[in-house]
Amino acid sequence: MKMSVPDYMQCAEDHQTVLVVVQPFGIVPEDHFFKIYKRIASVSQVSIRDSQRILYIRYRHHYLPENNEWGDFQTHRKVVGLIAITTCTSAKDWPQTAERFHGQKEVYSSTLYDSRCLVFGLQGEIAEQQRTDMAFYPSFDECSDVERRVEDFVESIFIVLESKRLDRATDKSGDKTPLLCVPFEKKDFVGLDTDSRHYKKRCQGRMRKHVGDLCLQAGMLQDALVHYHMAVELLRGVNDHLWLGAALEGLCSASVISHYPGGTGGKLLGRKPSISQTTDAGKRHRPGALTTNGISADTSTEIGRAKNCLSPEDIIEKYKEAISYYGKYKNAGVIELEACVKAVRVLAIQKRAREASEFLQNAVYINLGQLSEEEKIQRYSILSELYELIGFHRKSAFFKRVAAMQCVAPTIPEPGWRACYKLLLETLPGYSLSLDPKDFNKGTHRGWAAVQMRLLHELVYASRRMGNPGLSVRHLSFLLQTMLDFLSDQEKKEVTQSLENYSSKCPGGMEVITLSAELKLPPVPFTKLPIVRSVKLLNLPVSLRPHKVKGLLGQNVSTASPFIYSPIIMHSRGEERCKKIDFQWVQGDVCEVQLMVYNPMPYELRVENMGLLTSGVQFESLPAALSLPAESGLYPVTLVGVPRTAGNITVNGYHTSVFGVTSDCLLEDLPAVKTSGCLVEVIPSLPRLQLATSLPRSAHTPQPMSKEELSSSVSVQLFNGETQQLTITLENIGCEDIETLEVTSKVVNTKEKVFSNFLSWKLEEALSHLPLKPGLTVTLTVSIQVKLDFSGQENLLQDLNDDGISVTGLPICSPLRQVLKPRPETKPISNDSGKLEYSHIKTLEAVLNFKYSGGAGKVDGYYRELSLGVHVDVEPSVFFTRVNTLPATSTRQCHLLLDIFNPTEHELTVSANRSQDLVLHASECQRMAIQVDKFDFESLPQLDQETAHFTNPKQLEEERQHARGCQINSKLQICWSIPSLQRCGEASVEGALNQLVLEHLQLAPLQWDVLVNGKPCDSDLVADCKVGDAVTLEVKLTNLSKNPVGPLALTVMPFQDYQNGVQNYDLDKAVTFIGSETFFIDTVKPKESSTCNGALLFLYMGDYYLNIKFQDDNTRRELPLAWFTLPSVYIRALDTPLQAGA
Amino acid sequence: MAVCIAVIAKENYPLFIRSVPTQNELKFHYTVHTSLDVVEEKISAVGKSLGDQRELYLGLLYPTEDYKVYGYVTNSKVKFVIVVDSSNTSLRDNEIRSMFRKLHNSFTDVMCNPFYNPGDPIQSKAFNGIVSGMMVQTG
């Protein structure tokens, strides 16, 4: 018969214990039993009175009788004591109870030294009787002297043990030494010659070994060593291998006890070293142990120890030997296994892990025959524990995993998934796997991915079979998150499929799953599904960006630092700055955060409910759902939300829902994510304005501005000089009232000289509607007026200057024109390559800015800006190729000759102020003459002295010229119209003016007025007078120049013009002067005037002219001659009767 | 000859592992993984006694029923593990040593490759070729 159940808890010290079985019978509640059992077991060592020895006791509540049968082989396997625990409520039941107690004793009767029965619940007569083998307690709670009872019991066992020991030890001479044998040997010895020396030696050897065991148990270590040595000698001689092994093992055990008083079994054994040290320190004498002064109390034992005790190395050698002997017997498998375990424990104490692993390796291969599944689990678990003990964590984890798999082996009818799961969790450290995904965030992957993945798969499966899909989801998420790099495409697919499966039953979340007090499963955010590379907070669109009112900003700057600029960035502020972003978000407006994401999966990834995680202000996140194509590469995703309150907002991360698992991914846990700061200020809400225009929108963007800076843009085509009305409708689409509105314009990107106001508007009308409630609109009319100078385009008229007038059908060498109107006879443009790209259409661009504000944001000093781009393509209308003047008859007037060219393809009519329409055909040039009054440019308002000071003379001159041009234009009022297009506009001569023309057009600063008979007389105007009457002639000089003029002398020279080129100055007989023919004018100061009078008498009828001339004087030469031209006077002298007749 | 050859990084994760294709690959993963216990034990034991003059070859790590596991540790704590069939008794210790030396030389070449990131799985064809050579010799 063989021993089948190994005790894996055994250690070398167990050899010195006596085995006591504590068993319940009858009705004993389990918890009460174990309470009592624990109290009994606390009496693990008892020092024996008078002998200075200690008895160690090993308690078992369950012990197989088969194992008991090996008691002769190793006495610590023998049940020597029995403590039975029972309940008995009435005296009536007592006999039956007593009977059963005896029955219990029967089981171990062959080996039992003594027994006790603890009876609970019985009171009265029977309970009062004094019996040594019985103890009566009224209840489980009232049994204070259990420990004392047990001690008494142990002492009684000791007495028996001691007597047996002495009995056997002195039994040398005895008649015949009985042969001790193990159960399976019995049949082998049948019919053996009992008288042979060999047999006798065998008997003696075995008995020696037995005595050694007894000595060891009885606390006589040195005696035991001596006996074991003798047994080894004897048994070696007769090749009794099994028993030789046992003797060697006994020797080892005794040596171990001597070397390692602390024990090799760790706490597993449940011994209490503290008790032995405190209570027994004084009286206890352990052979070989040193006393406090370092000198052994008994020198003889010290010598004996040195002689008999094995050295640590020898212990292992002897263990090896013993095990090799055990190995020869198939039926001694349990003994061999236990010896291995004991040796491993010793080696663990000696820190000889590698040799220990060899013992364990051997233990693995010990075949114990058919083991039950439970035994297998136990065996693998203990192997795992032992590997752990010697520091082989991987091996330990391996066996623990095997044990876990054994729990759910297909042969087991009811698989223990829970136990399997628990064991699997215990293997995690061995595979350097923690279930916290944070451990995987930093650096390279830790541990052996292939086996880790396997373990995770098993955890998932076990938790699923346990009926806990939540756990499965968590483990699968973890697998996917941490092992993504190691999963093949196929595996990725499988894992995600099963994850979706499980999460449909139990959606995964961010809560911590608590498995036990020390093991919690932290949430697994999917930071790799998708992988986020960068997070960037986006500014609001330009039209919605808040701007700070300048004055308030200045204050802030001045308080921050006394320096305008400092290269030294203080660290504290630098840190703050690098986090805070220098734009603002507005409460109530949608804000955007752009993530660059990447899908590492080999298939499309659907991310649902992706939103922002923020703190600081109330934020309404508007989650997005996205679908990322397989291995997408970087993919921009914009997450949006609306801040509901003002303050500083921090974007902490984002949340996703992938495969039914929601994750909160915090940026602080993602060091790989690039971010330019996550803190931004949210300012109080501002109104929003939307803009609509009457003109079509355009895609044109003024060059220096980017597209997004303009909220919209309009475009229109106009002929030069045309005016267009643009109606802008402004609607308040926000939630706040618009309280202020400002409009400004800026002409951008033009090299052209713009005459007149390009954009003009009247804001008062619109302002009267403020404050503008949400949803209401206000309109603003802006007039666009284009006046550009096209006159410089000589290339349009290259032949025009030759003959000047009435050039029709001239070829136009502009590329655009060629496209529009291809002509076969177009001249090659070889010599004019510089102007190849010239387009005669000019563009004008301007930006209209609307600044508005309102609501809480206005209180904080913020406003918004909306800009409208205006793009105008200006086509030339009429322009003046040449301007000339001809003097008119009056000195106050002159003729302006304009060569007007029509560059359009349409028939065009031009009308000036006082003349009739002039019709111009396409590309026709004609001359137009307009009689105009001369201009008094001096009367124009002078520029401010201030501005004049800053601008350079050239600009000043331009400015002046422009003013003159305006004056001329307003006087001329040259209009054009294209009847076919129903377009009309003004034409400006400004560009065509030159200095000479201007001089001609200017009124002289010295104004001469000649009055004949008191009537002003000028040029063509004919003054009538009667023959014989004196005609008064008055010459008036008004000085408008800055300097005094004069004195001057004038001579009046009458003459007659015969209209044939002959002028008769010899009119002494026809005209006579009354008084002097010379007039003198005194010095005339500026702004003053002076007059001189004379008279004439015409003697004959006729037409006379008066030529008033200056008498030559050198001083006057400094003034231009033109100033001194006096009007000629035309007098018609009539006969008196004629007049009477008239 | 060899049934499994593995290169393990200093941090104890595999840089390279190849086994005979006919068998369960995971089994070898477990075999090599658990052998690291012994490797660590051996390194720590040697480190104490000999100091710098360390023998790179660790010898037999542990025998199992079917296989023998041999170990080798470079000075930078990169481990080589060769698993051979237990039935192959003709194999001498010297042959194992030379296999390890060959492996080490080839590994050094891999590390010399400027395009190889230390710590990444080894994908070198030359290295693979050397390993294949060691594995097919059994015939």
Side-chain angles (χ1 to χ4, degrees):
Chain A
M1 202 198 260
K2 73 182 179 95
M3 199 160 72
S4 61
V5 181
D7 179 2
Y8 294 103
M9 292 306 168
Q10 284 227 350
C11 55
E13 292 83 17
D14 286 343
H15 283 258
Q16 64 174 340
T17 60
V18 292
L19 182 62
V20 172
V21 170
V22 183
Q23 275 183 330
F25 69 92
I27 307 144
V28 181
E30 201 168 273
D31 54 332
H32 283 145
F33 169 72
F34 278 106
K35 214 169 87 185
I36 297 295
Y37 178 80
K38 246 180 214 163
R39 289 181 62 181
I40 293 170
S42 70
V43 189
S44 61
Q45 53 190 43
V46 174
S47 39
I48 308 302
R49 271 167 292 183
D50 316 325
S51 67
Q52 295 187 327
R53 282 189 269 166
I54 296 172
L55 196 62
Y56 295 92
I57 310 102
R58 197 156 50 105
Y59 296 95
R60 289 286 180 274
H61 51 84
H62 181 78
Y63 198 71
L64 287 176
E66 299 100 278
N67 286 8
N68 197 24
E69 284 172 29
W70 285 72
D72 281 340
F73 182 67
Q74 285 174 324
T75 52
H76 70 281
R77 297 182 189 277
K78 190 186 280 188
V79 180
V80 295
L82 173 72
I83 299 175
I85 294 168
T86 189
T87 49
C88 185
T89 44
S90 69
K92 194 173 70 190
D93 299 333
W94 172 241
Q96 197 195 344
T97 309
E99 191 60 34
R100 288 189 62 182
F101 173 52
H102 285 293
Q104 287 276 316
K105 283 203 283 188
E106 277 306 304
V107 179
Y108 305 106
S109 60
S110 59
T111 57
L112 230 46
Y113 292 172
D114 201 354
S115 59
R116 287 286 184 279
C117 184
L118 305 181
V119 184
F120 291 89
L122 197 66
Q123 278 168 324
E125 198 190 327
I126 300 163
E128 255 133 62
Q129 55 179 309
Q130 289 293 322
R131 288 183 58 164
T132 46
D133 61 339
M134 298 279 180
F136 297 96
Y137 299 101
S139 76
F140 283 104
D141 301 321
E142 297 167 61
C143 49
S144 53
D145 67 341
V146 166
E147 285 88 353
R148 197 190 52 76
R149 280 273 182 174
V150 173
E151 276 176 37
D152 286 350
F153 172 62
V154 169
E155 273 180 34
S156 92
I157 288 176
F158 176 75
I159 290 162
V160 180
L161 176 71
E162 185 67 4
S163 74
K164 288 219 174 208
R165 182 185 71 82
L166 290 169
D167 199 22
R168 301 281 193 191
T170 52
D171 196 19
K172 283 173 213 167
S173 59
D175 354 333
K176 224 178 171 192
T177 317
L179 178 69
L180 297 168
C181 55
V182 293
F184 72 87
E185 280 178 326
K186 275 173 185 154
K187 60 179 188 298
D188 300 345
F189 292 117
V190 177
L192 213 71
D193 178 12
T194 52
D195 289 331
S196 68
R197 266 190 73 213
H198 191 267
Y199 183 78
K200 269 186 189 161
K201 265 190 129 177
R202 181 186 288 218
C203 291
Q204 280 172 1
R206 291 190 177 187
M207 186 53 78
R208 263 305 152 204
K209 193 255 157 203
H210 184 65
V211 174
D213 281 356
L214 290 175
C215 287
L216 193 58
Q217 281 186 311
M220 300 177 73
L221 188 64
Q222 288 309 319
D223 290 25
L225 282 167
V226 171
H227 285 296
Y228 283 137
H229 272 294
M230 287 165 70
V232 168
E233 298 281 299
L234 285 166
L235 293 167
R236 216 187 277 280
V238 294
N239 285 332
D240 190 359
H241 289 142
L242 185 65
W243 284 76
L244 176 55
L248 287 168
E249 197 191 343
L251 197 54
C252 292
S253 302
S255 304
V256 168
I257 291 163
S258 155
H259 277 293
Y260 310 106
T264 57
K267 61 178 179 162
L268 294 169
L269 206 70
R271 60 173 61 218
K272 289 184 174 171
S274 61
I275 293 173
S276 69
Q277 274 161 18
T278 52
T279 61
D280 308 333
K283 50 188 176 176
R284 178 181 161 199
H285 172 102
R286 189 168 194 166
L290 295 178
T291 53
T292 43
N293 59 7
I295 300 157
S296 180
D298 184 348
T299 46
S300 68
T301 58
E302 186 65 19
I303 294 158
R305 177 193 170 195
K307 204 164 64 186
N308 295 320
C309 190
L310 299 174
S311 70
E313 283 74 28
D314 280 347
I315 292 174
I316 304 308
E317 281 308 309
K318 293 290 182 279
Y319 260 125
K320 267 187 196 160
E321 198 184 342
I323 288 164
S324 72
Y325 292 140
Y326 290 149
K328 292 179 197 280
Y329 300 89
K330 220 182 147 199
N331 290 320
V334 171
I335 305 290
E336 186 189 355
L337 186 61
E338 288 183 4
C340 282
V341 170
K342 287 174 217 171
V344 167
R345 292 194 203 278
V346 173
L347 282 165
I349 292 274
Q350 295 181 347
K351 305 216 180 307
R352 288 157 73 179
R354 233 174 331 131
E355 284 167 283
S357 80
E358 279 163 24
F359 276 97
L360 274 173
Q361 190 77 34
N362 184 46
V364 171
Y365 295 120
I366 295 169
N367 183 10
L368 293 184
Q370 207 62 38
L371 285 180
S372 73
E373 300 297 340
E374 199 181 328
E375 283 164 340
K376 279 187 196 163
I377 295 165
Q378 199 193 2
R379 184 171 174 180
Y380 292 132
S381 302
I382 204 74
L383 280 170
S384 158
E385 254 168 55
L386 290 169
Y387 271 118
E388 188 69 47
L389 194 67
I390 60 170
F392 280 23
H393 304 293
R394 296 175 186 86
K395 205 72 172 167
S396 164
F398 176 82
F399 278 106
K400 192 143 270 178
R401 191 187 141 266
V402 172
M405 290 298 107
Q406 204 65 53
C407 290
V408 293
T411 49
I412 297 180
E414 279 178 36
W417 288 106
R418 217 163 269 281
C420 168
Y421 182 75
K422 191 173 158 291
L423 285 170
L424 284 176
L425 283 181
E426 286 170 19
T427 67
L428 289 170
Y431 291 112
S432 36
L433 194 63
S434 85
L435 291 178
D436 190 347
K438 276 181 188 151
D439 294 343
F440 287 85
N441 283 347
K442 25 196 174 317
T444 50
H445 185 84
R446 287 169 53 230
W448 199 285
V451 289
Q452 287 176 339
M453 253 156 61
R454 177 77 190 183
L455 176 61
L456 285 171
H457 273 297
E458 282 161 357
L459 277 172
V460 168
Y461 191 70
S463 57
R464 186 175 76 87
R465 294 298 297 263
M466 270 163 66
N468 193 338
L471 274 181
S472 310
V473 168
R474 179 58 50 88
H475 288 309
L476 264 178
S477 312
F478 184 83
L479 173 67
L480 204 53
Q481 165 73 16
T482 58
M483 302 289 166
L484 194 65
D485 299 343
F486 304 101
L487 289 168
S488 69
D489 286 359
Q490 184 57 33
E491 284 170 324
K492 281 178 190 169
K493 200 164 268 178
E494 283 166 14
V495 167
T496 50
Q497 261 167 13
S498 44
L499 179 57
E500 274 175 311
N501 248 340
Y502 297 155
S503 62
S504 64
K505 287 174 216 143
C506 176
M510 286 302 288
E511 72 286 353
V512 174
I513 297 177
T514 306
L515 288 173
S516 62
E518 60 274 20
L519 190 64
K520 293 183 168 69
L521 294 186
V524 183
F526 277 141
T527 56
K528 287 185 178 170
L529 296 171
I531 296 168
V532 172
R533 283 285 156 76
S534 72
V535 172
K536 189 181 168 199
L537 277 64
L538 297 183
N539 203 347
L540 291 169
V542 178
S543 63
L544 294 180
R545 264 175 219 174
H547 300 273
K548 188 92 179 166
V549 174
K550 283 270 157 46
L552 294 170
L553 194 75
Q555 275 179 355
N556 283 352
V557 166
S558 66
T559 53
S561 161
F563 303 107
I564 295 168
Y565 168 76
S566 162
I568 304 157
I569 298 162
M570 269 172 259
H571 281 289
S572 58
R573 282 205 292 156
E575 187 129 65
E576 188 190 3
R577 200 170 297 167
C578 75
K579 286 224 77 177
K580 186 155 179 170
I581 303 173
D582 61 350
F583 57 74
Q584 290 95 22
W585 281 352
V586 180
Q587 177 191 340
D589 279 352
V590 174
C591 302
E592 296 178 324
V593 174
Q594 192 181 55
L595 309 180
M596 296 306 283
V597 301
Y598 174 87
N599 172 17
M601 293 305 226
Y603 46 84
E604 191 186 35
L605 181 68
R606 290 191 53 78
V607 184
E608 272 148 40
N609 198 30
M610 191 167 188
L612 291 171
L613 295 173
T614 60
S615 64
V617 307
Q618 210 183 318
F619 187 80
E620 186 191 330
S621 178
L622 306 173
L626 44 135
S627 177
L628 298 167
E631 274 155 22
S632 58
L634 278 185
Y635 203 83
V637 170
T638 306
L639 298 181
V640 296
V642 182
R644 290 293 175 207
T645 53
N648 282 331
I649 189 170
T650 312
V651 174
N652 297 322
Y654 59 94
H655 62 84
T656 57
S657 176
V658 184
F659 309 127
V661 179
T662 58
S663 335
D664 291 347
C665 307
L666 296 180
L667 295 180
E668 58 189 13
D669 296 336
L670 300 168
V673 173
K674 274 187 280 177
T675 169
S676 51
C678 294
L679 181 68
V680 76
E681 190 187 350
V682 177
I683 64 149
S685 56
L686 282 169
R688 280 182 72 173
L689 206 56
Q690 199 183 44
L691 185 147
T693 58
S694 57
L695 288 173
R697 284 176 175 250
S698 82
H700 286 287
T701 315
Q703 274 308 313
M705 308 184 94
S706 60
K707 189 131 200 155
E708 59 192 25
E709 279 180 75
L710 290 177
S711 47
S712 64
S713 182
V714 294
S715 143
V716 66
Q717 178 269 327
L718 292 175
F719 286 102
N720 194 19
E722 205 176 344
T723 301
Q724 170 86 43
Q725 300 297 320
L726 168 66
T727 308
I728 298 168
T729 309
L730 300 167
E731 183 179 0
N732 184 359
I733 54 164
C735 305
E736 300 284 335
D737 291 358
I738 294 173
E739 290 161 31
T740 62
L741 178 67
E742 276 177 58
V743 185
T744 54
S745 76
K746 195 176 87 180
V747 177
V748 291
N749 184 34
T750 182
K751 289 149 275 178
E752 305 296 332
K753 210 171 154 207
V754 185
F755 306 106
S756 87
N757 278 334
F758 178 37
L759 300 170
S760 56
W761 61 86
K762 291 253 186 305
L763 196 59
E764 289 74 20
E765 209 320 89
L767 288 180
S768 68
H769 287 85
L770 294 183
L772 194 65
K773 297 265 180 239
L776 296 182
T777 56
V778 66
T779 53
L780 178 72
T781 306
V782 176
S783 55
I784 307 168
Q785 197 174 19
V786 284
K787 274 187 185 170
L788 287 182
D789 181 12
F790 281 90
S791 58
Q793 299 172 359
E794 267 73 30
N795 66 314
L796 281 177
L797 326 148
Q798 39 198 334
D799 321 288
L800 201 65
N801 288 336
D802 302 339
D803 53 357
I805 302 162
S806 297
V807 184
T808 51
L810 86 161
I812 302 218
C813 299
S814 111
L816 187 73
R817 278 308 263 274
Q818 282 175 0
V819 172
L820 289 173
K821 202 172 176 183
R823 292 177 177 212
E825 72 274 9
T826 306
K827 282 184 186 171
I829 340 157
S830 53
N831 59 341
D832 224 354
S833 58
K835 293 180 179 174
L836 202 69
E837 283 161 41
Y838 175 81
S839 159
H840 71 287
I841 293 182
K842 296 193 177 188
T843 28
L844 260 185
E845 281 171 337
V847 177
L848 266 175
N849 271 320
F850 298 85
K851 280 189 192 177
Y852 61 96
S853 184
K858 179 176 180 284
V859 179
D860 279 19
Y862 287 97
Y863 63 90
R864 269 183 171 154
E865 248 179 11
L866 195 64
S867 29
L868 173 71
V870 180
H871 175 99
V872 184
D873 285 323
V874 187
E875 278 195 56
S877 53
V878 291
F879 62 83
F880 305 97
T881 58
R882 203 164 8 169
V883 180
N884 248 326
T885 49
L886 279 178
T889 40
S890 160
T891 55
R892 301 282 174 98
Q893 287 185 331
C894 71
H895 292 285
L896 199 60
L897 298 180
L898 301 166
D899 289 346
I900 304 176
F901 175 62
N902 172 15
T904 66
E905 293 157 23
H906 311 279
E907 195 181 87
L908 194 139
T909 52
V910 180
S911 64
N913 195 12
R914 277 170 297 200
S915 65
Q916 78 280 32
D917 289 356
L918 181 72
V919 177
L920 282 168
H921 298 288
S923 306
E924 190 184 21
C925 192
Q926 282 196 22
R927 177 164 290 178
M928 188 181 202
I930 308 168
Q931 189 180 17
V932 285
D933 293 335
K934 285 194 176 179
F935 299 95
D936 180 14
F937 295 132
E938 301 299 326
S939 66
L940 286 172
Q942 287 294 315
L943 289 169
D944 250 341
Q945 207 59 38
E946 198 87 349
T947 53
H949 182 74
F950 287 110
T951 50
N952 61 40
K954 199 179 165 199
Q955 278 180 325
L956 205 65
E957 187 53 40
E958 275 179 13
E959 202 66 42
R960 196 176 281 161
Q961 191 136 350
H962 172 66
R964 290 171 189 170
C966 284
Q967 204 185 7
I968 297 165
N969 274 337
S970 62
K971 197 80 156 257
L972 292 178
Q973 286 181 15
I974 304 172
C975 292
W976 54 262
S977 69
I978 304 172
S980 60
L981 295 176
Q982 299 199 316
R983 306 276 284 265
C984 63
E986 293 170 13
S988 165
V989 295
E990 202 174 321
L993 294 174
N994 54 39
Q995 194 60 44
L996 194 69
V997 174
L998 278 175
E999 236 167 67
H1000 283 273
L1001 284 173
Q1002 182 163 14
L1003 211 54
L1006 300 184
Q1007 293 213 353
W1008 301 92
D1009 295 287
V1010 179
L1011 286 87
V1012 178
N1013 282 338
K1015 286 183 224 160
C1017 173
D1018 196 6
S1019 60
D1020 299 334
L1021 213 64
V1022 183
D1024 294 330
C1025 66
K1026 284 181 206 154
V1027 175
D1029 282 0
V1031 177
T1032 58
L1033 190 67
E1034 190 181 337
V1035 176
K1036 183 181 174 188
L1037 169 66
T1038 310
N1039 183 10
L1040 294 173
S1041 74
K1042 285 170 192 147
N1043 301 314
V1045 181
L1048 300 166
L1050 296 169
T1051 312
V1052 179
M1053 288 170 68
F1055 67 94
Q1056 270 189 314
D1057 189 355
Y1058 298 144
Q1059 304 287 345
N1060 56 359
V1062 179
Q1063 287 176 339
N1064 181 20
Y1065 283 88
D1066 187 22
L1067 294 172
D1068 289 343
K1069 287 169 185 148
V1071 182
T1072 173
F1073 287 86
I1074 302 169
S1076 171
E1077 59 183 324
T1078 309
F1079 298 81
F1080 291 97
I1081 295 175
D1082 265 346
T1083 306
V1084 184
K1085 287 177 185 162
K1087 316 264 173 183
E1088 281 181 14
S1089 58
S1090 166
T1091 48
C1092 52
N1093 295 304
L1096 281 167
L1097 186 69
F1098 294 94
L1099 303 178
Y1100 296 100
M1101 289 192 310
D1103 288 359
Y1104 300 92
Y1105 292 90
L1106 297 181
N1107 197 358
I1108 306 171
K1109 278 192 174 170
F1110 291 91
Q1111 288 189 342
D1112 202 25
D1113 197 333
N1114 283 331
T1115 55
R1116 276 174 260 114
R1117 280 292 164 238
E1118 59 203 52
L1119 293 171
L1121 190 67
W1123 292 12
F1124 296 99
T1125 47
L1126 268 77
S1128 61
V1129 181
Y1130 181 17
I1131 299 169
R1132 182 175 288 160
L1134 300 169
D1135 212 3
T1136 320
L1138 248 176
Q1139 196 184 19
Chain B
M1 193 180 284
V3 290
C4 174
I5 292 177
V7 181
I8 298 132
K10 180 169 175 279
E11 295 85 4
N12 288 335
Y13 62 89
L15 292 174
F16 179 91
I17 181 159
R18 216 166 120 217
S19 50
V20 281
T22 49
Q23 314 218 15
N24 179 9
E25 198 191 327
L26 194 64
K27 185 173 86 179
F28 287 112
H29 274 281
Y30 277 115
T31 307
V32 178
H33 181 246
T34 49
S35 75
L36 290 177
D37 279 329
V38 187
V39 172
E40 279 187 354
E41 180 62 36
K42 285 205 175 193
I43 296 172
S44 66
V46 166
K48 273 175 244 161
S49 56
L50 280 170
D52 292 350
Q53 289 298 312
R54 193 164 58 79
E55 166 75 90
L56 301 179
Y57 177 57
L58 297 178
L60 181 67
L61 296 180
Y62 68 91
T64 72
E65 244 169 328
D66 308 321
Y67 305 109
K68 285 182 186 148
V69 184
Y70 293 90
Y72 184 95
V73 179
T74 70
N75 287 315
S76 55
K77 299 277 189 292
V78 172
K79 292 123 194 152
F80 300 134
V81 172
I82 294 179
V83 183
V84 297
D85 214 307
S86 287
S87 57
N88 194 342
T89 46
S90 62
L91 210 61
R92 297 221 187 105
D93 203 45
N94 257 348
E95 292 173 65
I96 299 285
R97 263 176 209 271
S98 76
M99 277 164 75
F100 275 124
R101 243 191 314 275
K102 254 164 82 185
L103 208 57
H104 195 173
N105 286 339
S106 185
F107 177 74
T108 311
D109 290 345
V110 170
M111 295 300 282
C112 290
N113 178 0
F115 298 104
Y116 173 75
N117 267 338
D120 284 358
I122 296 171
Q123 280 156 340
S124 156
K125 274 183 191 160
F127 189 80
N128 211 7
I130 295 280
V131 169
S132 302
M134 290 179 189
M135 292 181 69
V136 290
Q137 269 174 34
T138 22

